[in-house]
Amino acid sequence: SKPSFSNANFPTTPEGRTYHLGTKGGEVANRILSVGATQRAELLSKLLDPPPNGGQLFRYLSSRGFLTVTGEYQGTPISIVSTQMGMPNMDFVVRECRAVVEGPMAVVRLGTCGALQPPASLGQLIIAHSSINIRRNPDAWSDLSTASMLPAYMFTLPVQADPHIVRLLAEEASSTMGASNVISGLNATADSFYSSQGRVGGNFDDRNEGLIEEMCEKYPDMVSLEMETFHLLDMARCSGGRVRAAGMCLALADRKSNEMLEYARLEQLEVEAGLAALRALIKTDLD
Ligand code: DUR
């Protein structure tokens, strides 16, 4: 039967389970690896230490499809949380994990992205030293006469990732994947996989034909396009120092050639990048 929730401001069950992730105090570690796909969470959970006495890792799959797996990596507690896609889902993960964890937190996102421009290329791991948000501006489509003046897409100022975690990720990823397969740069988090990432098609009036070019011109350092990192870094910025965060992603789409990475190659890269994330997380100083 469905549990009942109280307090519409921040709904929890009587035992303290959150509304979307469904976890409660004691079930989530201070160090969190946020991954997009549930399958990736399952895959990377195999890298955690085998639980003592033949036991099982803690697992909770919420009714909304968020999977939390908690265990240890080399003796340090870690949770792997499947975050699904987009900023609202990242919002659930950061806020609901923050609500059930005591003390300082470190969150690393390992996702996938499009490679925007050189030096980014297919199959690389791209670490975001900072991120901007690109969103479609619906007012530009308004019938009001002033709307034609408005830009169809809006770019925010950058937000920085935690420099300590970024450095650890770069070191660890260079060792698991080879330094030539790891770059860092400015990320862009979009509010759509399609319109605000410059994908064109005939079904909607997206006015985004020049968007990729505009991004490259305005931000020569912009390398990756995805849908979550900016919000993670923005939440960390607003956490009063209680959440430190960084994001990185595997480039599986090339936005110049429109080539895509073969799926078979992705799994190996996910393991190498996941290992780097776990190693960086346990080395992250939380005090
Ligand atoms: N993603 C993108 N754009 C790409 C490749 C991957 O947004 O070109 C990421 C972010 C999102 C999911 O979670 O993958 C969308 O397929």
PDB file of all heavy atoms in Angstrom, residues 184-212:
ATOM      1  N   SER A 184      39.048  19.139 -19.416  1.00  0.00           N
ATOM      2  CA  SER A 184      38.115  19.911 -18.608  1.00  0.00           C
ATOM      3  C   SER A 184      37.819  21.219 -19.326  1.00  0.00           C
ATOM      4  O   SER A 184      38.595  21.670 -20.164  1.00  0.00           O
ATOM      5  CB  SER A 184      38.662  20.133 -17.199  1.00  0.00           C
ATOM      6  OG  SER A 184      39.549  21.203 -17.178  1.00  0.00           O
ATOM      7  N   GLY A 185      36.669  21.780 -19.018  1.00  0.00           N
ATOM      8  CA  GLY A 185      36.261  23.001 -19.694  1.00  0.00           C
ATOM      9  C   GLY A 185      34.926  23.490 -19.161  1.00  0.00           C
ATOM     10  O   GLY A 185      34.434  22.995 -18.137  1.00  0.00           O
ATOM     11  N   LEU A 186      34.368  24.454 -19.867  1.00  0.00           N
ATOM     12  CA  LEU A 186      33.058  25.002 -19.502  1.00  0.00           C
ATOM     13  C   LEU A 186      31.957  24.083 -20.032  1.00  0.00           C
ATOM     14  O   LEU A 186      31.975  23.693 -21.200  1.00  0.00           O
ATOM     15  CB  LEU A 186      32.911  26.408 -20.101  1.00  0.00           C
ATOM     16  CG  LEU A 186      31.557  27.089 -19.943  1.00  0.00           C
ATOM     17  CD1 LEU A 186      31.235  27.368 -18.475  1.00  0.00           C
ATOM     18  CD2 LEU A 186      31.518  28.401 -20.750  1.00  0.00           C
ATOM     19  N   ASN A 187      31.015  23.752 -19.162  1.00  0.00           N
ATOM     20  CA  ASN A 187      29.854  22.934 -19.530  1.00  0.00           C
ATOM     21  C   ASN A 187      28.649  23.852 -19.767  1.00  0.00           C
ATOM     22  O   ASN A 187      28.565  24.931 -19.184  1.00  0.00           O
ATOM     23  CB  ASN A 187      29.560  21.953 -18.373  1.00  0.00           C
ATOM     24  CG  ASN A 187      28.197  21.303 -18.484  1.00  0.00           C
ATOM     25  OD1 ASN A 187      27.223  21.722 -17.850  1.00  0.00           O
ATOM     26  ND2 ASN A 187      28.102  20.291 -19.304  1.00  0.00           N
ATOM     27  N   ALA A 188      27.719  23.391 -20.600  1.00  0.00           N
ATOM     28  CA  ALA A 188      26.426  24.065 -20.687  1.00  0.00           C
ATOM     29  C   ALA A 188      25.337  23.052 -20.378  1.00  0.00           C
ATOM     30  O   ALA A 188      25.319  21.948 -20.935  1.00  0.00           O
ATOM     31  CB  ALA A 188      26.210  24.662 -22.058  1.00  0.00           C
ATOM     32  N   THR A 189      24.462  23.426 -19.466  1.00  0.00           N
ATOM     33  CA  THR A 189      23.316  22.594 -19.105  1.00  0.00           C
ATOM     34  C   THR A 189      22.089  23.218 -19.750  1.00  0.00           C
ATOM     35  O   THR A 189      21.784  24.397 -19.520  1.00  0.00           O
ATOM     36  CB  THR A 189      23.173  22.535 -17.575  1.00  0.00           C
ATOM     37  OG1 THR A 189      24.280  21.809 -17.037  1.00  0.00           O
ATOM     38  CG2 THR A 189      21.874  21.861 -17.161  1.00  0.00           C
ATOM     39  N   ALA A 190      21.403  22.435 -20.558  1.00  0.00           N
ATOM     40  CA  ALA A 190      20.267  22.952 -21.316  1.00  0.00           C
ATOM     41  C   ALA A 190      18.955  22.459 -20.717  1.00  0.00           C
ATOM     42  O   ALA A 190      18.933  21.444 -20.019  1.00  0.00           O
ATOM     43  CB  ALA A 190      20.381  22.513 -22.773  1.00  0.00           C
ATOM     44  N   ASP A 191      17.862  23.150 -21.014  1.00  0.00           N
ATOM     45  CA  ASP A 191      16.557  22.728 -20.504  1.00  0.00           C
ATOM     46  C   ASP A 191      15.832  21.801 -21.475  1.00  0.00           C
ATOM     47  O   ASP A 191      14.673  21.454 -21.261  1.00  0.00           O
ATOM     48  CB  ASP A 191      15.686  23.935 -20.122  1.00  0.00           C
ATOM     49  CG  ASP A 191      15.294  24.779 -21.315  1.00  0.00           C
ATOM     50  OD1 ASP A 191      15.827  24.561 -22.419  1.00  0.00           O
ATOM     51  OD2 ASP A 191      14.446  25.683 -21.142  1.00  0.00           O
ATOM     52  N   SER A 192      16.522  21.422 -22.558  1.00  0.00           N
ATOM     53  CA  SER A 192      15.981  20.423 -23.481  1.00  0.00           C
ATOM     54  C   SER A 192      17.140  19.672 -24.107  1.00  0.00           C
ATOM     55  O   SER A 192      18.234  20.225 -24.245  1.00  0.00           O
ATOM     56  CB  SER A 192      15.159  21.096 -24.587  1.00  0.00           C
ATOM     57  OG  SER A 192      14.865  20.197 -25.649  1.00  0.00           O
ATOM     58  N   PHE A 193      16.918  18.428 -24.467  1.00  0.00           N
ATOM     59  CA  PHE A 193      17.901  17.690 -25.272  1.00  0.00           C
ATOM     60  C   PHE A 193      17.903  18.269 -26.690  1.00  0.00           C
ATOM     61  O   PHE A 193      18.922  18.211 -27.381  1.00  0.00           O
ATOM     62  CB  PHE A 193      17.480  16.220 -25.300  1.00  0.00           C
ATOM     63  CG  PHE A 193      18.382  15.292 -26.082  1.00  0.00           C
ATOM     64  CD1 PHE A 193      19.594  14.880 -25.552  1.00  0.00           C
ATOM     65  CD2 PHE A 193      17.988  14.813 -27.330  1.00  0.00           C
ATOM     66  CE1 PHE A 193      20.412  13.992 -26.265  1.00  0.00           C
ATOM     67  CE2 PHE A 193      18.801  13.924 -28.032  1.00  0.00           C
ATOM     68  CZ  PHE A 193      20.013  13.518 -27.503  1.00  0.00           C
ATOM     69  N   TYR A 194      16.779  18.839 -27.083  1.00  0.00           N
ATOM     70  CA  TYR A 194      16.571  19.266 -28.475  1.00  0.00           C
ATOM     71  C   TYR A 194      16.776  20.768 -28.666  1.00  0.00           C
ATOM     72  O   TYR A 194      17.867  21.212 -29.024  1.00  0.00           O
ATOM     73  CB  TYR A 194      15.177  18.811 -28.937  1.00  0.00           C
ATOM     74  CG  TYR A 194      15.071  17.301 -28.928  1.00  0.00           C
ATOM     75  CD1 TYR A 194      14.400  16.637 -27.894  1.00  0.00           C
ATOM     76  CD2 TYR A 194      15.678  16.537 -29.922  1.00  0.00           C
ATOM     77  CE1 TYR A 194      14.335  15.247 -27.879  1.00  0.00           C
ATOM     78  CE2 TYR A 194      15.617  15.146 -29.901  1.00  0.00           C
ATOM     79  CZ  TYR A 194      14.940  14.513 -28.879  1.00  0.00           C
ATOM     80  OH  TYR A 194      14.882  13.139 -28.842  1.00  0.00           O
ATOM     81  N   SER A 195      15.767  21.576 -28.401  1.00  0.00           N
ATOM     82  CA  SER A 195      15.814  22.997 -28.792  1.00  0.00           C
ATOM     83  C   SER A 195      17.033  23.729 -28.257  1.00  0.00           C
ATOM     84  O   SER A 195      17.824  24.288 -29.027  1.00  0.00           O
ATOM     85  CB  SER A 195      14.544  23.706 -28.319  1.00  0.00           C
ATOM     86  OG  SER A 195      14.440  23.680 -26.905  1.00  0.00           O
ATOM     87  N   SER A 196      17.215  23.707 -26.944  1.00  0.00           N
ATOM     88  CA  SER A 196      18.279  24.498 -26.332  1.00  0.00           C
ATOM     89  C   SER A 196      19.652  23.833 -26.432  1.00  0.00           C
ATOM     90  O   SER A 196      20.638  24.388 -25.971  1.00  0.00           O
ATOM     91  CB  SER A 196      17.937  24.821 -24.873  1.00  0.00           C
ATOM     92  OG  SER A 196      17.526  23.662 -24.197  1.00  0.00           O
ATOM     93  N   GLN A 197      19.717  22.647 -27.044  1.00  0.00           N
ATOM     94  CA  GLN A 197      21.023  22.072 -27.392  1.00  0.00           C
ATOM     95  C   GLN A 197      21.291  22.220 -28.888  1.00  0.00           C
ATOM     96  O   GLN A 197      22.216  21.602 -29.422  1.00  0.00           O
ATOM     97  CB  GLN A 197      21.119  20.597 -26.970  1.00  0.00           C
ATOM     98  CG  GLN A 197      21.206  20.425 -25.460  1.00  0.00           C
ATOM     99  CD  GLN A 197      21.486  18.983 -25.022  1.00  0.00           C
ATOM    100  OE1 GLN A 197      22.173  18.223 -25.694  1.00  0.00           O
ATOM    101  NE2 GLN A 197      20.955  18.624 -23.862  1.00  0.00           N
ATOM    102  N   GLY A 198      20.460  23.003 -29.564  1.00  0.00           N
ATOM    103  CA  GLY A 198      20.723  23.288 -30.977  1.00  0.00           C
ATOM    104  C   GLY A 198      20.386  22.159 -31.933  1.00  0.00           C
ATOM    105  O   GLY A 198      20.872  22.135 -33.070  1.00  0.00           O
ATOM    106  N   ARG A 199      19.554  21.207 -31.489  1.00  0.00           N
ATOM    107  CA  ARG A 199      19.121  20.161 -32.430  1.00  0.00           C
ATOM    108  C   ARG A 199      17.954  20.703 -33.230  1.00  0.00           C
ATOM    109  O   ARG A 199      17.011  21.253 -32.668  1.00  0.00           O
ATOM    110  CB  ARG A 199      18.740  18.881 -31.680  1.00  0.00           C
ATOM    111  CG  ARG A 199      19.945  18.168 -31.076  1.00  0.00           C
ATOM    112  CD  ARG A 199      19.588  16.823 -30.459  1.00  0.00           C
ATOM    113  NE  ARG A 199      20.762  15.989 -30.262  1.00  0.00           N
ATOM    114  CZ  ARG A 199      21.512  15.983 -29.155  1.00  0.00           C
ATOM    115  NH1 ARG A 199      21.177  16.741 -28.126  1.00  0.00           N
ATOM    116  NH2 ARG A 199      22.582  15.207 -29.080  1.00  0.00           N
ATOM    117  N   VAL A 200      18.011  20.532 -34.534  1.00  0.00           N
ATOM    118  CA  VAL A 200      16.992  21.133 -35.395  1.00  0.00           C
ATOM    119  C   VAL A 200      16.053  20.069 -35.958  1.00  0.00           C
ATOM    120  O   VAL A 200      16.419  18.913 -36.127  1.00  0.00           O
ATOM    121  CB  VAL A 200      17.642  21.955 -36.535  1.00  0.00           C
ATOM    122  CG1 VAL A 200      18.352  23.179 -35.968  1.00  0.00           C
ATOM    123  CG2 VAL A 200      18.614  21.103 -37.338  1.00  0.00           C
ATOM    124  N   GLY A 201      14.816  20.475 -36.230  1.00  0.00           N
ATOM    125  CA  GLY A 201      13.815  19.564 -36.791  1.00  0.00           C
ATOM    126  C   GLY A 201      12.625  20.385 -37.200  1.00  0.00           C
ATOM    127  O   GLY A 201      12.484  21.535 -36.773  1.00  0.00           O
ATOM    128  N   GLY A 202      11.761  19.818 -38.012  1.00  0.00           N
ATOM    129  CA  GLY A 202      10.696  20.615 -38.611  1.00  0.00           C
ATOM    130  C   GLY A 202       9.403  20.716 -37.830  1.00  0.00           C
ATOM    131  O   GLY A 202       8.513  21.477 -38.204  1.00  0.00           O
ATOM    132  N   ASN A 203       9.257  19.964 -36.741  1.00  0.00           N
ATOM    133  CA  ASN A 203       7.943  19.903 -36.083  1.00  0.00           C
ATOM    134  C   ASN A 203       7.612  21.110 -35.220  1.00  0.00           C
ATOM    135  O   ASN A 203       6.445  21.355 -34.925  1.00  0.00           O
ATOM    136  CB  ASN A 203       7.838  18.641 -35.234  1.00  0.00           C
ATOM    137  CG  ASN A 203       7.650  17.403 -36.093  1.00  0.00           C
ATOM    138  OD1 ASN A 203       7.022  17.474 -37.155  1.00  0.00           O
ATOM    139  ND2 ASN A 203       8.207  16.294 -35.662  1.00  0.00           N
ATOM    140  N   PHE A 204       8.637  21.842 -34.791  1.00  0.00           N
ATOM    141  CA  PHE A 204       8.397  22.998 -33.918  1.00  0.00           C
ATOM    142  C   PHE A 204       9.215  24.192 -34.389  1.00  0.00           C
ATOM    143  O   PHE A 204      10.288  24.031 -34.961  1.00  0.00           O
ATOM    144  CB  PHE A 204       8.756  22.646 -32.462  1.00  0.00           C
ATOM    145  CG  PHE A 204       7.911  21.533 -31.912  1.00  0.00           C
ATOM    146  CD1 PHE A 204       8.354  20.214 -31.985  1.00  0.00           C
ATOM    147  CD2 PHE A 204       6.659  21.788 -31.366  1.00  0.00           C
ATOM    148  CE1 PHE A 204       7.562  19.179 -31.521  1.00  0.00           C
ATOM    149  CE2 PHE A 204       5.863  20.758 -30.905  1.00  0.00           C
ATOM    150  CZ  PHE A 204       6.306  19.446 -30.975  1.00  0.00           C
ATOM    151  N   ASP A 205       8.683  25.370 -34.110  1.00  0.00           N
ATOM    152  CA  ASP A 205       9.362  26.620 -34.443  1.00  0.00           C
ATOM    153  C   ASP A 205      10.381  26.919 -33.343  1.00  0.00           C
ATOM    154  O   ASP A 205      10.093  27.662 -32.427  1.00  0.00           O
ATOM    155  CB  ASP A 205       8.296  27.726 -34.536  1.00  0.00           C
ATOM    156  CG  ASP A 205       8.910  29.098 -34.679  1.00  0.00           C
ATOM    157  OD1 ASP A 205      10.048  29.204 -35.192  1.00  0.00           O
ATOM    158  OD2 ASP A 205       8.245  30.077 -34.268  1.00  0.00           O
ATOM    159  N   ASP A 206      11.566  26.291 -33.415  1.00  0.00           N
ATOM    160  CA  ASP A 206      12.529  26.397 -32.323  1.00  0.00           C
ATOM    161  C   ASP A 206      13.502  27.572 -32.447  1.00  0.00           C
ATOM    162  O   ASP A 206      14.149  27.930 -31.462  1.00  0.00           O
ATOM    163  CB  ASP A 206      13.323  25.087 -32.173  1.00  0.00           C
ATOM    164  CG  ASP A 206      12.529  23.988 -31.489  1.00  0.00           C
ATOM    165  OD1 ASP A 206      11.686  24.312 -30.623  1.00  0.00           O
ATOM    166  OD2 ASP A 206      12.732  22.809 -31.839  1.00  0.00           O
ATOM    167  N   ARG A 207      13.620  28.141 -33.619  1.00  0.00           N
ATOM    168  CA  ARG A 207      14.498  29.312 -33.831  1.00  0.00           C
ATOM    169  C   ARG A 207      15.898  29.079 -33.264  1.00  0.00           C
ATOM    170  O   ARG A 207      16.462  29.951 -32.582  1.00  0.00           O
ATOM    171  CB  ARG A 207      13.885  30.575 -33.203  1.00  0.00           C
ATOM    172  CG  ARG A 207      12.502  30.856 -33.756  1.00  0.00           C
ATOM    173  CD  ARG A 207      11.890  32.100 -33.168  1.00  0.00           C
ATOM    174  NE  ARG A 207      10.450  32.066 -33.367  1.00  0.00           N
ATOM    175  CZ  ARG A 207       9.583  32.900 -32.806  1.00  0.00           C
ATOM    176  NH1 ARG A 207      10.021  33.876 -32.008  1.00  0.00           N
ATOM    177  NH2 ARG A 207       8.291  32.801 -33.038  1.00  0.00           N
ATOM    178  N   ASN A 208      16.445  27.906 -33.513  1.00  0.00           N
ATOM    179  CA  ASN A 208      17.737  27.579 -32.911  1.00  0.00           C
ATOM    180  C   ASN A 208      18.800  27.199 -33.940  1.00  0.00           C
ATOM    181  O   ASN A 208      19.800  26.585 -33.592  1.00  0.00           O
ATOM    182  CB  ASN A 208      17.560  26.438 -31.895  1.00  0.00           C
ATOM    183  CG  ASN A 208      17.113  25.147 -32.561  1.00  0.00           C
ATOM    184  OD1 ASN A 208      16.725  25.143 -33.729  1.00  0.00           O
ATOM    185  ND2 ASN A 208      17.167  24.056 -31.827  1.00  0.00           N
ATOM    186  N   GLU A 209      18.567  27.580 -35.193  1.00  0.00           N
ATOM    187  CA  GLU A 209      19.494  27.170 -36.261  1.00  0.00           C
ATOM    188  C   GLU A 209      20.910  27.666 -36.015  1.00  0.00           C
ATOM    189  O   GLU A 209      21.875  26.987 -36.356  1.00  0.00           O
ATOM    190  CB  GLU A 209      19.002  27.625 -37.638  1.00  0.00           C
ATOM    191  CG  GLU A 209      17.762  26.888 -38.145  1.00  0.00           C
ATOM    192  CD  GLU A 209      16.460  27.343 -37.484  1.00  0.00           C
ATOM    193  OE1 GLU A 209      16.489  28.374 -36.749  1.00  0.00           O
ATOM    194  OE2 GLU A 209      15.428  26.664 -37.672  1.00  0.00           O
ATOM    195  N   GLY A 210      21.035  28.867 -35.421  1.00  0.00           N
ATOM    196  CA  GLY A 210      22.384  29.405 -35.200  1.00  0.00           C
ATOM    197  C   GLY A 210      22.923  29.193 -33.794  1.00  0.00           C
ATOM    198  O   GLY A 210      23.954  29.755 -33.428  1.00  0.00           O
ATOM    199  N   LEU A 211      22.207  28.376 -33.003  1.00  0.00           N
ATOM    200  CA  LEU A 211      22.523  28.312 -31.573  1.00  0.00           C
ATOM    201  C   LEU A 211      23.899  27.699 -31.278  1.00  0.00           C
ATOM    202  O   LEU A 211      24.654  28.219 -30.452  1.00  0.00           O
ATOM    203  CB  LEU A 211      21.415  27.546 -30.833  1.00  0.00           C
ATOM    204  CG  LEU A 211      21.455  27.576 -29.310  1.00  0.00           C
ATOM    205  CD1 LEU A 211      21.425  28.998 -28.764  1.00  0.00           C
ATOM    206  CD2 LEU A 211      20.309  26.758 -28.723  1.00  0.00           C
ATOM    207  N   ILE A 212      24.216  26.611 -31.950  1.00  0.00           N
ATOM    208  CA  ILE A 212      25.521  25.948 -31.713  1.00  0.00           C
ATOM    209  C   ILE A 212      26.656  26.913 -32.045  1.00  0.00           C
ATOM    210  O   ILE A 212      27.604  27.062 -31.270  1.00  0.00           O
ATOM    211  CB  ILE A 212      25.619  24.650 -32.544  1.00  0.00           C
ATOM    212  CG1 ILE A 212      24.581  23.668 -32.038  1.00  0.00           C
ATOM    213  CG2 ILE A 212      27.049  24.097 -32.539  1.00  0.00           C
ATOM    214  CD1 ILE A 212      25.071  22.334 -31.580  1.00  0.00           C
TER     215      ILE A 212
END
